[in-house]
Amino acid sequence: MKLQKMVWMGVWAFGAASAQAAGVTLTMSCNSSEQEIQYCKKMAAEWGAKTGNTLELLSIPQSSSDILGLFRQMLAGKSDKLDVMQIDVVWPGILKDQLLDLKPYTNGVEKNHFPAMVANNTVGGKLLAMPWLTDAGVMFYRKDLLAKYGEKPPTTWAELTATAKKVMDAERKAGNAAMQGFVFQAKAYEGLSCTGLEWVASFGGGTIIDRTGKTTINNPQAAKALDMAAGWIGTIAPQGVLNYAEEEARGVFQSGNAVFMRNWPYAWALGNGADSGVKGKIGVITMPKGDGADSSGAAALGGWQMAVSKYSKHPKEAADLVLYLTSEAVQKERAITLASNPTIPKLYQDKDILAANPFYGDLFETLKVAVPRPATVTGAKYNEVSAAFWNATHEVLSGKSTGTASVKKLEGKIDAIRRGPSW
């Protein structure tokens, strides 16, 4: 895996040569999207000027699975070449033995964040990461197209399927042969664990593994949910969606060639950017429900945290950087400029943030009931469980298996990963 180190000397931007000499140099991972790279560059300059330290930024892969592989490789080698890292919400249990306990540095500021996220990041009484941004899956749609064809935003998957087909067919007949009904994350990677969990949970099919550690995926509702999703491939969704991650789905939707898109809220700001083909035409709703009387929309809980490597040579400075990046002021700025979802509840009532992101009021309610992946109960084995789930789901989507056969086989694989009565 080829890595690229991007170096921005924050103190240079302000000509503080003497501060540079007195400070330390830290390396932080930075998401590989252009938007995040530019923001990391800005933060490097501001934190560097504030502290007299230098921040180097390490570009990382786009896929969360690849990022985790990279971090595990570096941490296993006790590398001191990465001080601060952005980690997924499901990784604290996996990386628990190689992350610094931040409690001695926070002065209790973690109490200002969503308690569920702080609890997620606390393993064995140690605060291994600070909440940086939270996420939940949402459904984007074309307001103009639904209005054009007299359709309302769907509340169920059946309604979404019918509306997507109607609008897609009409737009193609009108001349847009590239129009798709629905795009989403269906590539065999962690993103498919999120979308698959949403489908299964929305049908009342459980959360793969329950809180007691019992495997629950082998049930008729879970199978029905996966079969439903398979029916979209080649009808309202392109065959190529089987290789779509977040950015591929966004590219199709933002170019004006999709009616619906499942993605994370970050796509709102980009979709309303000056260069977007759908600026001002996007609506956002909570995830649709399944078909049962007790079904409800289910949004996978996502989010990223800031953690410090246990092998950092400068733990105090690294912890200071984490607290700066996860502070209320920085989270507010990111919410306004990047549509990044704060992990501090009070910011969802901030008038400036609501003006920039009108749907945040509804998103707050979604975040309070979002469905977590079974990471806490499975601990270090979560990645194996997730890979088994996304591969089983992908087999159904690609027509290689049925929902019933797939969930039955998956149950056996998960039990084999557990290798015993408990995790």
Coordinates of all heavy atoms in Angstrom, one line a residue, residues 193-270:
S193 N -21.7 -3.2 5.1 CA -22.2 -3.6 6.4 C -23.2 -2.6 7.0 O -24.1 -3.0 7.6 CB -21.0 -3.8 7.4 OG -20.3 -4.9 7.1
C194 N -22.9 -1.3 6.7 CA -23.9 -0.3 7.1 C -25.2 -0.3 6.4 O -26.3 -0.3 7.0 CB -23.2 1.1 7.0 SG -21.7 1.4 8.0
T195 N -25.1 -0.4 5.1 CA -26.4 -0.4 4.3 C -27.1 -1.7 4.5 O -28.3 -1.7 4.7 CB -26.1 -0.2 2.8 OG1 -25.1 -1.2 2.4 CG2 -25.6 1.2 2.5
G196 N -26.4 -2.8 4.6 CA -27.0 -4.1 4.9 C -27.7 -4.1 6.2 O -28.8 -4.6 6.4
L197 N -27.1 -3.5 7.2 CA -27.7 -3.5 8.6 C -28.9 -2.7 8.6 O -29.9 -3.0 9.2 CB -26.6 -2.9 9.6 CG -27.1 -2.7 11.0 CD1 -27.6 -4.0 11.6 CD2 -26.1 -2.0 11.8
E198 N -28.9 -1.6 7.8 CA -30.1 -0.7 7.7 C -31.3 -1.5 7.1 O -32.4 -1.4 7.6 CB -29.8 0.5 6.9 CG -28.9 1.5 7.6 CD -28.4 2.6 6.8 OE1 -28.5 2.6 5.5 OE2 -27.7 3.6 7.3
W199 N -31.0 -2.2 6.0 CA -32.1 -3.0 5.4 C -32.7 -4.1 6.4 O -33.9 -4.2 6.6 CB -31.6 -3.7 4.1 CG -31.0 -2.8 3.1 CD1 -31.3 -1.5 2.9 CD2 -30.0 -3.1 2.2 NE1 -30.6 -0.9 1.9 CE2 -29.7 -1.9 1.4 CE3 -29.2 -4.2 1.9 CZ2 -28.8 -1.9 0.4 CZ3 -28.3 -4.2 0.9 CH2 -28.1 -3.0 0.2
V200 N -31.7 -4.8 7.0 CA -32.1 -5.9 7.9 C -32.9 -5.3 9.1 O -34.0 -5.8 9.5 CB -30.9 -6.7 8.3 CG1 -31.3 -7.7 9.5 CG2 -30.3 -7.5 7.2
A201 N -32.4 -4.3 9.7 CA -33.0 -3.8 10.9 C -34.3 -3.1 10.6 O -35.3 -3.2 11.4 CB -32.1 -2.7 11.6
S202 N -34.5 -2.5 9.4 CA -35.7 -1.9 9.1 C -36.8 -2.9 8.8 O -38.0 -2.5 8.9 CB -35.5 -1.0 7.8 OG -35.4 -1.8 6.6
F203 N -36.5 -4.1 8.6 CA -37.5 -5.2 8.4 C -37.7 -6.0 9.7 O -38.4 -7.0 9.7 CB -37.0 -6.2 7.3 CG -37.5 -5.8 5.9 CD1 -36.9 -4.7 5.2 CD2 -38.5 -6.6 5.3 CE1 -37.3 -4.4 4.0 CE2 -38.9 -6.2 4.0 CZ -38.3 -5.1 3.3
G204 N -37.1 -5.5 10.8 CA -37.3 -6.2 12.0 C -36.4 -7.5 12.1 O -36.7 -8.4 12.9
G205 N -35.3 -7.5 11.3 CA -34.5 -8.7 11.3 C -33.3 -8.6 12.2 O -32.4 -9.5 12.1
G206 N -33.3 -7.7 13.2 CA -32.3 -7.6 14.2 C -31.0 -6.9 13.7 O -31.0 -6.2 12.7
T207 N -30.0 -7.1 14.5 CA -28.7 -6.3 14.3 C -27.5 -7.3 14.1 O -26.4 -7.0 14.5 CB -28.4 -5.4 15.5 OG1 -28.4 -6.1 16.7 CG2 -29.5 -4.3 15.5
I208 N -27.7 -8.4 13.5 CA -26.7 -9.4 13.2 C -26.4 -10.2 14.4 O -26.5 -11.5 14.5 CB -25.5 -8.8 12.6 CG1 -25.8 -7.9 11.4 CG2 -24.5 -9.9 12.1 CD1 -24.6 -7.1 10.9
I209 N -25.9 -9.5 15.4 CA -25.6 -10.1 16.8 C -26.2 -9.2 17.8 O -26.1 -8.0 17.7 CB -24.1 -10.2 17.0 CG1 -23.4 -11.1 15.9 CG2 -23.7 -10.7 18.4 CD1 -21.9 -11.0 15.9
D210 N -26.9 -9.8 18.8 CA -27.6 -8.9 19.8 C -26.6 -8.5 20.9 O -25.4 -8.9 20.9 CB -28.9 -9.6 20.3 CG -28.6 -10.8 21.2 OD1 -27.5 -11.0 21.6 OD2 -29.6 -11.6 21.4
R211 N -27.1 -7.8 21.8 CA -26.2 -7.2 22.9 C -25.7 -8.3 23.8 O -24.7 -8.1 24.5 CB -27.0 -6.2 23.7 CG -27.3 -4.9 22.8 CD -28.1 -3.9 23.7 NE -28.3 -2.7 22.9 CZ -29.0 -1.6 23.4 NH1 -29.4 -1.7 24.7 NH2 -29.2 -0.6 22.6
T212 N -26.3 -9.4 23.8 CA -25.8 -10.5 24.7 C -24.8 -11.4 24.0 O -24.2 -12.3 24.6 CB -27.0 -11.5 25.1 OG1 -27.5 -12.2 23.9 CG2 -28.1 -10.7 25.7
G213 N -24.5 -11.1 22.7 CA -23.5 -11.8 22.0 C -24.1 -13.0 21.1 O -23.4 -13.7 20.4
K214 N -25.4 -13.1 21.1 CA -26.1 -14.2 20.3 C -26.2 -13.8 18.9 O -26.6 -12.7 18.6 CB -27.5 -14.5 20.9 CG -28.2 -15.5 20.2 CD -29.6 -15.7 20.7 CE -30.4 -16.8 20.0 NZ -31.8 -16.9 20.5
T215 N -25.9 -14.7 18.0 CA -26.0 -14.5 16.5 C -27.5 -14.5 16.2 O -28.2 -15.5 16.4 CB -25.3 -15.5 15.7 OG1 -23.9 -15.5 16.1 CG2 -25.3 -15.2 14.2
T216 N -28.0 -13.5 15.6 CA -29.5 -13.4 15.3 C -29.8 -13.2 13.8 O -31.0 -13.1 13.4 CB -30.1 -12.2 16.0 OG1 -29.5 -11.0 15.6 CG2 -29.9 -12.3 17.5
I217 N -28.8 -13.2 12.9 CA -29.0 -12.9 11.5 C -29.8 -13.9 10.8 O -30.5 -13.6 9.8 CB -27.6 -12.7 10.8 CG1 -27.8 -12.1 9.4 CG2 -26.9 -14.0 10.8 CD1 -28.5 -10.8 9.4
N218 N -29.8 -15.2 11.2 CA -30.6 -16.2 10.5 C -32.1 -16.2 10.8 O -32.5 -16.9 11.7 CB -30.0 -17.6 10.8 CG -30.6 -18.7 10.0 OD1 -31.3 -18.4 9.0 ND2 -30.3 -19.9 10.3
N219 N -32.8 -15.3 10.2 CA -34.2 -15.2 10.4 C -34.9 -14.7 9.1 O -34.3 -14.1 8.2 CB -34.5 -14.2 11.6 CG -34.2 -12.8 11.2 OD1 -35.0 -12.1 10.6 ND2 -33.0 -12.3 11.7
P220 N -36.2 -15.0 8.9 CA -36.9 -14.7 7.7 C -36.9 -13.3 7.3 O -36.8 -12.9 6.1 CB -38.3 -15.3 8.0 CG -38.2 -16.3 9.0 CD -37.0 -15.8 9.9
Q221 N -37.0 -12.4 8.3 CA -37.1 -10.9 8.0 C -35.8 -10.4 7.4 O -35.7 -9.6 6.5 CB -37.5 -10.1 9.2 CG -39.0 -10.3 9.6 CD -39.9 -9.9 8.4 OE1 -40.5 -10.8 7.8 NE2 -40.1 -8.7 8.2
A222 N -34.7 -10.9 8.0 CA -33.3 -10.5 7.5 C -33.2 -11.0 6.0 O -32.7 -10.3 5.2 CB -32.2 -11.1 8.4
A223 N -33.6 -12.3 5.8 CA -33.5 -12.8 4.4 C -34.4 -12.0 3.5 O -33.9 -11.7 2.3 CB -33.9 -14.3 4.4
K224 N -35.5 -11.6 3.9 CA -36.4 -10.9 3.1 C -35.9 -9.5 2.7 O -36.0 -9.0 1.6 CB -37.8 -10.7 3.8 CG -38.9 -10.1 2.9 CD -40.2 -10.1 3.7 CE -41.4 -9.7 2.8 NZ -42.7 -9.7 3.6
A225 N -35.2 -8.9 3.7 CA -34.6 -7.6 3.4 C -33.5 -7.6 2.4 O -33.4 -6.8 1.5 CB -34.0 -7.0 4.7
L226 N -32.7 -8.7 2.4 CA -31.6 -8.8 1.5 C -32.1 -9.2 0.1 O -31.6 -8.7 -0.9 CB -30.6 -9.9 1.9 CG -29.9 -9.6 3.3 CD1 -28.9 -10.7 3.6 CD2 -29.2 -8.3 3.3
D227 N -33.1 -10.0 0.0 CA -33.8 -10.3 -1.3 C -34.4 -9.0 -1.9 O -34.3 -8.8 -3.1 CB -34.8 -11.3 -1.1 CG -34.3 -12.7 -0.9 OD1 -33.1 -13.0 -1.4 OD2 -34.9 -13.6 -0.3
M228 N -35.0 -8.2 -1.1 CA -35.5 -6.9 -1.6 C -34.4 -6.1 -2.2 O -34.6 -5.6 -3.4 CB -36.1 -6.1 -0.4 CG -36.5 -4.7 -0.8 SD -36.7 -3.6 0.7 CE -34.9 -3.5 1.2
A229 N -33.3 -5.9 -1.5 CA -32.2 -5.1 -2.1 C -31.6 -5.7 -3.4 O -31.3 -5.0 -4.3 CB -31.1 -5.0 -1.0
A230 N -31.6 -7.0 -3.4 CA -31.1 -7.7 -4.6 C -32.0 -7.4 -5.8 O -31.5 -7.3 -7.0 CB -31.0 -9.2 -4.4
G231 N -33.3 -7.2 -5.6 CA -34.2 -6.9 -6.6 C -34.0 -5.5 -7.3 O -34.5 -5.2 -8.3
W232 N -33.2 -4.6 -6.6 CA -32.9 -3.3 -7.1 C -31.9 -3.3 -8.2 O -31.8 -2.5 -9.1 CB -32.5 -2.4 -6.0 CG -33.5 -2.1 -5.0 CD1 -34.8 -2.1 -5.1 CD2 -33.2 -1.8 -3.6 NE1 -35.4 -1.8 -3.9 CE2 -34.4 -1.6 -2.9 CE3 -32.0 -1.7 -2.9 CZ2 -34.5 -1.3 -1.6 CZ3 -32.1 -1.3 -1.5 CH2 -33.3 -1.1 -0.9
I233 N -31.0 -4.3 -8.1 CA -29.8 -4.4 -9.0 C -30.3 -4.7 -10.5 O -31.0 -5.7 -10.7 CB -28.8 -5.4 -8.6 CG1 -28.5 -5.3 -7.1 CG2 -27.6 -5.3 -9.5 CD1 -27.9 -4.0 -6.7
G234 N -30.0 -3.8 -11.4 CA -30.4 -3.9 -12.8 C -31.8 -3.4 -13.1 O -32.2 -3.5 -14.2
T235 N -32.5 -3.0 -12.0 CA -33.8 -2.4 -12.2 C -33.8 -0.9 -11.9 O -33.7 -0.1 -12.9 CB -34.9 -3.1 -11.4 OG1 -34.5 -3.1 -10.0 CG2 -35.0 -4.6 -11.8
I236 N -33.8 -0.5 -10.6 CA -33.7 0.9 -10.3 C -32.2 1.3 -10.0 O -31.9 2.5 -9.9 CB -34.6 1.3 -9.1 CG1 -34.2 0.5 -7.9 CG2 -36.0 1.0 -9.5 CD1 -35.0 1.0 -6.6
A237 N -31.3 0.3 -9.8 CA -29.9 0.6 -9.5 C -29.1 -0.1 -10.6 O -29.4 -1.1 -11.1 CB -29.5 0.1 -8.2
P238 N -28.0 0.6 -11.0 CA -27.1 0.0 -12.1 C -26.4 -1.2 -11.6 O -26.1 -1.3 -10.4 CB -26.2 1.1 -12.4 CG -26.1 1.9 -11.2 CD -27.5 1.9 -10.5
Q239 N -26.0 -2.1 -12.5 CA -25.1 -3.2 -12.1 C -23.8 -2.7 -11.4 O -23.3 -3.3 -10.5 CB -24.8 -4.1 -13.3 CG -25.9 -4.9 -13.8 CD -26.2 -6.1 -12.9 OE1 -25.4 -6.5 -12.1 NE2 -27.4 -6.6 -13.0
G240 N -23.3 -1.6 -11.9 CA -22.1 -1.0 -11.3 C -22.2 -0.6 -9.9 O -21.1 -0.4 -9.2
V241 N -23.4 -0.5 -9.3 CA -23.5 -0.2 -7.9 C -22.8 -1.2 -7.0 O -22.5 -1.0 -5.9 CB -25.0 0.0 -7.5 CG1 -25.7 -1.4 -7.3 CG2 -25.2 0.8 -6.2
L242 N -22.6 -2.4 -7.5 CA -22.0 -3.5 -6.8 C -20.5 -3.2 -6.5 O -19.9 -3.8 -5.7 CB -22.0 -4.8 -7.6 CG -23.4 -5.4 -7.7 CD1 -23.4 -6.6 -8.6 CD2 -24.0 -5.8 -6.3
N243 N -20.0 -2.1 -7.1 CA -18.7 -1.6 -6.9 C -18.7 -0.2 -6.3 O -17.6 0.5 -6.3 CB -17.8 -1.7 -8.1 CG -17.5 -3.1 -8.5 OD1 -17.0 -3.9 -7.7 ND2 -17.7 -3.5 -9.8
Y244 N -19.8 0.3 -5.9 CA -19.9 1.7 -5.4 C -19.6 1.8 -3.9 O -20.1 1.0 -3.1 CB -21.3 2.2 -5.6 CG -21.7 2.7 -7.0 CD1 -20.9 2.4 -8.1 CD2 -22.9 3.4 -7.2 CE1 -21.3 2.8 -9.3 CE2 -23.2 3.8 -8.5 CZ -22.4 3.5 -9.5 OH -22.8 3.9 -10.8
A245 N -18.7 2.7 -3.6 CA -18.6 3.2 -2.2 C -19.3 4.5 -2.1 O -20.1 4.9 -3.0 CB -17.1 3.3 -1.8
E246 N -19.0 5.3 -1.1 CA -19.7 6.6 -0.9 C -19.5 7.5 -2.1 O -20.4 8.2 -2.6 CB -19.2 7.3 0.4 CG -19.8 6.7 1.7 CD -19.0 5.4 2.1 OE1 -18.1 5.0 1.4 OE2 -19.4 4.9 3.2
E247 N -18.3 7.7 -2.5 CA -18.0 8.7 -3.5 C -18.5 8.3 -4.9 O -18.9 9.2 -5.7 CB -16.4 8.9 -3.6 CG -15.9 9.8 -2.4 CD -16.5 11.2 -2.4 OE1 -16.0 12.0 -3.1 OE2 -17.5 11.4 -1.7
E248 N -18.5 7.0 -5.2 CA -19.1 6.6 -6.5 C -20.6 6.9 -6.6 O -21.1 7.4 -7.6 CB -18.8 5.1 -6.7 CG -17.4 4.8 -7.1 CD -16.5 4.7 -5.9 OE1 -17.0 4.7 -4.7 OE2 -15.3 4.6 -6.1
A249 N -21.3 6.7 -5.5 CA -22.7 7.0 -5.4 C -22.9 8.5 -5.5 O -23.8 8.9 -6.2 CB -23.3 6.4 -4.1
R250 N -22.1 9.2 -4.8 CA -22.3 10.7 -4.8 C -22.0 11.2 -6.2 O -22.7 12.2 -6.6 CB -21.3 11.3 -3.8 CG -21.5 12.9 -3.7 CD -20.6 13.5 -2.6 NE -19.2 13.4 -3.0 CZ -18.6 14.3 -3.8 NH1 -19.3 15.3 -4.3 NH2 -17.3 14.1 -4.1
G251 N -21.0 10.7 -6.9 CA -20.7 11.2 -8.2 C -21.9 11.1 -9.1 O -22.2 12.0 -9.9
V252 N -22.6 9.9 -9.1 CA -23.8 9.7 -10.0 C -24.9 10.7 -9.6 O -25.5 11.4 -10.4 CB -24.3 8.3 -9.9 CG1 -25.6 8.1 -10.7 CG2 -23.2 7.3 -10.4
F253 N -25.2 10.8 -8.3 CA -26.3 11.6 -7.8 C -26.0 13.1 -8.1 O -26.8 13.8 -8.6 CB -26.5 11.4 -6.3 CG -27.7 12.1 -5.7 CD1 -29.0 11.7 -5.9 CD2 -27.5 13.3 -5.0 CE1 -30.1 12.4 -5.4 CE2 -28.6 14.0 -4.5 CZ -29.9 13.5 -4.7
Q254 N -24.8 13.5 -7.8 CA -24.4 14.9 -7.9 C -24.4 15.4 -9.3 O -24.6 16.6 -9.7 CB -23.1 15.2 -7.2 CG -22.8 16.7 -7.0 CD -21.7 16.9 -6.0 OE1 -21.7 16.3 -4.9 NE2 -20.7 17.8 -6.3
S255 N -24.2 14.5 -10.3 CA -24.2 14.8 -11.7 C -25.6 14.9 -12.2 O -25.8 15.3 -13.4 CB -23.4 13.7 -12.5 OG -24.1 12.5 -12.5
G256 N -26.6 14.6 -11.4 CA -28.0 14.7 -11.8 C -28.6 13.5 -12.4 O -29.6 13.5 -13.0
N257 N -27.9 12.3 -12.1 CA -28.3 11.1 -12.8 C -28.9 10.0 -11.8 O -28.7 8.8 -12.1 CB -27.1 10.5 -13.6 CG -26.8 11.3 -14.8 OD1 -27.7 11.9 -15.4 ND2 -25.5 11.5 -15.1
A258 N -29.4 10.5 -10.7 CA -30.1 9.5 -9.8 C -31.2 10.2 -9.1 O -31.1 11.4 -8.7 CB -29.1 8.9 -8.8
V259 N -32.3 9.5 -8.8 CA -33.4 10.0 -8.1 C -33.2 10.0 -6.6 O -33.5 11.0 -5.9 CB -34.7 9.2 -8.5 CG1 -35.9 9.9 -7.8 CG2 -34.9 9.2 -10.0
F260 N -32.7 8.8 -6.1 CA -32.4 8.7 -4.7 C -31.0 8.2 -4.5 O -30.4 7.6 -5.3 CB -33.4 7.6 -4.1 CG -34.8 7.9 -4.1 CD1 -35.7 7.4 -5.1 CD2 -35.3 8.7 -3.1 CE1 -37.0 7.7 -5.1 CE2 -36.7 9.0 -3.1 CZ -37.5 8.5 -4.1
M261 N -30.5 8.6 -3.3 CA -29.1 8.2 -2.9 C -29.1 7.9 -1.4 O -29.4 8.8 -0.7 CB -28.1 9.2 -3.3 CG -26.7 8.9 -2.8 SD -25.4 10.1 -3.1 CE -25.9 11.5 -2.1
R262 N -28.6 6.8 -1.0 CA -28.3 6.5 0.4 C -26.8 7.0 0.6 O -25.9 6.5 -0.1 CB -28.4 5.1 0.7 CG -28.2 4.8 2.2 CD -26.8 4.5 2.6 NE -26.6 4.3 4.0 CZ -25.5 4.5 4.7 NH1 -24.4 5.0 4.0 NH2 -25.4 4.3 6.0
N263 N -26.6 7.8 1.6 CA -25.2 8.2 1.8 C -25.2 8.8 3.2 O -26.2 8.8 4.0 CB -24.7 9.2 0.8 CG -23.2 9.1 0.5 OD1 -22.4 8.8 1.4 ND2 -22.9 9.1 -0.8
W264 N -24.0 9.4 3.6 CA -23.9 10.0 4.9 C -24.1 11.5 4.7 O -24.0 12.0 3.6 CB -22.5 9.8 5.4 CG -22.1 8.3 5.5 CD1 -21.4 7.6 4.6 CD2 -22.5 7.4 6.6 NE1 -21.3 6.3 5.0 CE2 -22.0 6.1 6.2 CE3 -23.2 7.5 7.8 CZ2 -22.1 5.0 7.0 CZ3 -23.4 6.4 8.6 CH2 -22.8 5.2 8.2
P265 N -24.4 12.3 5.7 CA -24.8 13.7 5.6 C -23.7 14.6 5.0 O -24.0 15.7 4.5 CB -25.1 14.1 7.1 CG -25.6 12.8 7.7 CD -24.7 11.7 7.1
Y266 N -22.5 14.1 4.9 CA -21.4 15.0 4.3 C -21.8 15.3 2.9 O -21.3 16.4 2.4 CB -20.1 14.2 4.4 CG -19.8 13.3 3.2 CD1 -19.1 13.7 2.1 CD2 -20.4 12.0 3.2 CE1 -18.9 12.8 1.0 CE2 -20.2 11.2 2.1 CZ -19.4 11.6 1.0 OH -19.2 10.7 0.0
A267 N -22.6 14.5 2.2 CA -22.9 14.7 0.8 C -23.8 15.9 0.6 O -23.9 16.4 -0.5 CB -23.5 13.5 0.2
W268 N -24.4 16.4 1.7 CA -25.3 17.6 1.6 C -24.5 18.8 1.1 O -24.9 19.5 0.1 CB -26.0 17.9 2.9 CG -26.7 19.2 3.0 CD1 -26.2 20.4 3.4 CD2 -28.0 19.5 2.5 NE1 -27.1 21.4 3.3 CE2 -28.3 20.8 2.8 CE3 -29.0 18.7 1.9 CZ2 -29.5 21.5 2.4 CZ3 -30.2 19.3 1.6 CH2 -30.4 20.7 1.9
A269 N -23.4 19.1 1.8 CA -22.6 20.3 1.4 C -22.1 20.2 0.0 O -22.1 21.2 -0.7 CB -21.5 20.6 2.5
L270 N -21.6 19.1 -0.3 CA -21.0 18.9 -1.7 C -22.1 19.0 -2.7 O -21.9 19.5 -3.8 CB -20.3 17.6 -1.7 CG -19.0 17.4 -0.8 CD1 -18.5 16.0 -0.8 CD2 -17.9 18.4 -1.3

